[in-house]
Every structure is written in C-alpha cells, then in structure tokens.
Amino acid sequence: MSDILTVTDLKKVYGKGGSLTRALDGVSLSLEAGEFVGVMGPSGSGKTTLLNCVSTIDRPSAGSIVIDGRELTRLKGKELAKFRRERLGFIFQDCNLLDTLTTYENIALSLSIIRAPAQKIDRRVREMAEFLGITECLNKYPYQMSGGQQQRCAAARAMVTHPALVLADEPTGALDSKSSQMLLDRLDALNRDLGTTILMVTHDAFTASCCRRVVFLRDGKLFLELHRENDSRKAFFQKIIQVVTEMGGGMADVL
C-alpha cells in the first residue's frame, strides 16, 4: 500500500535565545492507507504538537509533512484551507458541534462547505449516521444527545467527506466507559470496513489497544513502536502497559 502520511525529520521549536523548547526533535513517521495508528507519550512528549503540525494547526520549524502526495509545508492561504477541508477529518475531545444546528446539519456542514450537490449531501449524511448508529439523532440538537452520541456525530462529520486522513485528539477523553467503548467500536469499524486511515493521540492504554500500531514519543523524539499483528486486544493492551511502565513519569494516569 502507498503511504497516506509521511513525516520526515519533523522539528518544532518554541521560544527564543536561551529559552528554547524542542517540542519535536527530528520525528519521522509514516502511515499507509487504511492504517489505524495511536500516538502515546508522557505530558510534554510532543504528541499534541505532532498532531497540530500534521493537522496544519501549527507549522513545523523544520522537516516535511506529506499527506496524500501533497507537501503541507509548501501550501499556504486558500490552497492550504482547501486541502484541510477536503482531505483531512478532525475528531476532538470536545465535540465542537454547533449548538444551533441539528445532528443532520452538523454532519452536512462539512459537505456544504466543499459545495457537494444537495442529493449527495443527503445520501452521505444518512449513510454515515446509519454506520455510526445515530440515525435516530439526526433531528436532535447537541444538548438533546448524550456525550457518546455527540462524539459519534463529530466522527460522522469528520468522515462524511471521505478524507484521506482522520486526526483524532483524545476522542474518548470526555466519555464514560460505555460511550468510549461504543465510539472505539465504531472507529474500528470505519477503519476495517471503510478503509479509513486514522491517526489518534491518546493518553489511555485501553483506547490505544484498539489501534493496529502504537507510536510512543518521549522528549520530542520517537521512543518505540508497537505493532499489534495477530495479538488479541487484551494481549496488545498488556504490551502497551509494559511500555507505559518503562517510560514512567507523566504516564501513570493510564494505568
């Protein structure tokens, strides 16, 4: 398979003079089409900075980011905004749904922005809602739904444009265990059945265990990679816990 994402020698430095902070210090990473990859690390390890750079929220100090064959560091202005709208999907810890719009309208908004035909919008919204199990919520407003339903709505909004890459930032962080499991099951199905490529930052070992590969960062550098291969989720979870224990500081909350 071809690589959807290629990050090469990525660096991000904050500050000036003698007070420099190297949030990323030469990180290289690639994702093949259809992969589901988790990113873990202690507080300050660079995982959020990595996601922010890949999502074009932040610009790296050095290095390159190629998504779907496009070098992001060379895109600017309207060209960058267009690429972000059409080729990237975002799922945040806080759902970021618009309170004045129904579930249907929140999901459809992504397609309206890229000027998809009305007939295609309706078909895609209903297909994605059915896949994520929120068909009964289409006419509801965010305040009328549970946290888990809201997050599945956010996932539908991220996926409905068929992006090249979906970026998830602590998507289960604000959910109870039942809602978390339901969302993870749906993300796994999106990856497995629809071939959606997902890069997910998480502090939680159980959440990470649904991925096929987990990348660990420490002090802005790649520390280790774990591949699930033929392991059960329980066995993979135990391997993640072993790495978390080895890494120590700042990771205790995942145990």
Side-chain angles (χ1 to χ4, degrees):
M1 287 187 178
S2 59
D3 288 343
I4 284 293
L5 168 67
T6 304
V7 174
T8 305
D9 198 22
L10 199 66
K11 299 178 181 179
K12 180 61 182 179
V13 179
Y14 294 102
K16 295 181 179 179
S19 59
L20 294 178
T21 299
R22 296 185 180 276
L24 293 174
D25 192 10
V27 172
S28 295
L29 171 71
S30 63
L31 267 70
E32 290 185 349
E35 275 202 284
F36 190 172
V37 177
V39 181
M40 298 189 74
S43 177
S45 63
K47 58 186 185 295
T48 298
T49 302
L50 173 63
L51 198 72
N52 286 345
C53 288
V54 172
S55 66
T56 74
I57 292 173
D58 207 351
R59 292 188 70 86
S61 302
S64 70
I65 303 170
V66 178
I67 298 178
D68 202 22
R70 302 294 300 276
E71 170 57 76
L72 296 195
T73 56
R74 297 177 183 173
L75 301 181
K76 296 180 180 179
K78 292 182 179 180
E79 190 177 16
L80 179 59
K82 183 176 185 293
F83 182 86
R84 184 190 297 123
R85 288 195 305 267
E86 296 180 357
R87 305 307 294 147
L88 299 179
F90 303 92
I91 307 174
F92 303 98
Q93 179 174 333
D94 298 320
C95 302
N96 289 343
L97 300 176
L98 297 177
D99 293 334
T100 57
L101 299 182
T102 64
T103 295
Y104 182 99
E105 292 165 339
N106 266 287
I107 300 171
L109 184 61
S110 296
L111 292 168
S112 299
I113 289 173
I114 64 173
R115 299 180 180 179
Q119 186 177 7
K120 181 181 289 187
I121 290 176
D122 185 69
R123 174 172 54 80
R124 283 196 185 177
V125 168
R126 295 187 184 281
E127 286 175 352
M128 195 56 64
E130 182 176 1
F131 195 86
L132 285 161
I134 52 172
T135 300
E136 74 280 5
C137 299
L138 285 176
N139 293 321
K140 293 182 179 180
Y141 291 91
Y143 72 89
Q144 297 174 310
M145 298 187 291
S146 68
Q149 289 170 331
Q150 290 181 32
Q151 195 61 298
R152 279 181 282 152
C153 175
R157 181 184 58 188
M159 309 285 189
V160 75
T161 58
H162 296 171
L165 176 65
V166 172
L167 302 166
D169 187 8
E170 301 282 7
T172 63
L175 302 180
D176 59 38
S177 58
K178 182 179 179 180
S179 297
S180 294
Q181 184 60 61
M182 190 173 295
L183 177 65
L184 290 173
D185 287 345
R186 291 295 84 199
L187 289 179
D188 182 62
L190 284 164
N191 170 253
R192 184 183 64 250
D193 299 340
L194 301 185
T196 304
T197 308
I198 304 172
L199 180 65
M200 177 176 68
V201 164
T202 181
H203 71 280
D204 181 70
F206 182 75
T207 297
S209 67
C210 75
C211 300
R212 306 306 305 178
R213 175 163 58 109
V214 179
V215 176
F216 295 86
L217 298 181
R218 186 166 71 179
D219 299 327
K221 297 181 179 181
L222 183 64
F223 176 75
L224 185 71
E225 285 191 23
L226 281 182
H227 294 259
R228 182 170 170 178
E229 296 179 341
N230 296 321
D231 286 341
S232 66
R233 184 171 177 182
K234 182 178 180 180
F236 194 45
F237 170 77
Q238 292 300 326
K239 289 183 178 180
I240 294 170
I241 288 295
Q242 289 175 8
V243 176
V244 166
T245 302
E246 181 182 348
M247 294 184 76
M251 296 287 286
D253 58 338
V254 307
L255 299 175

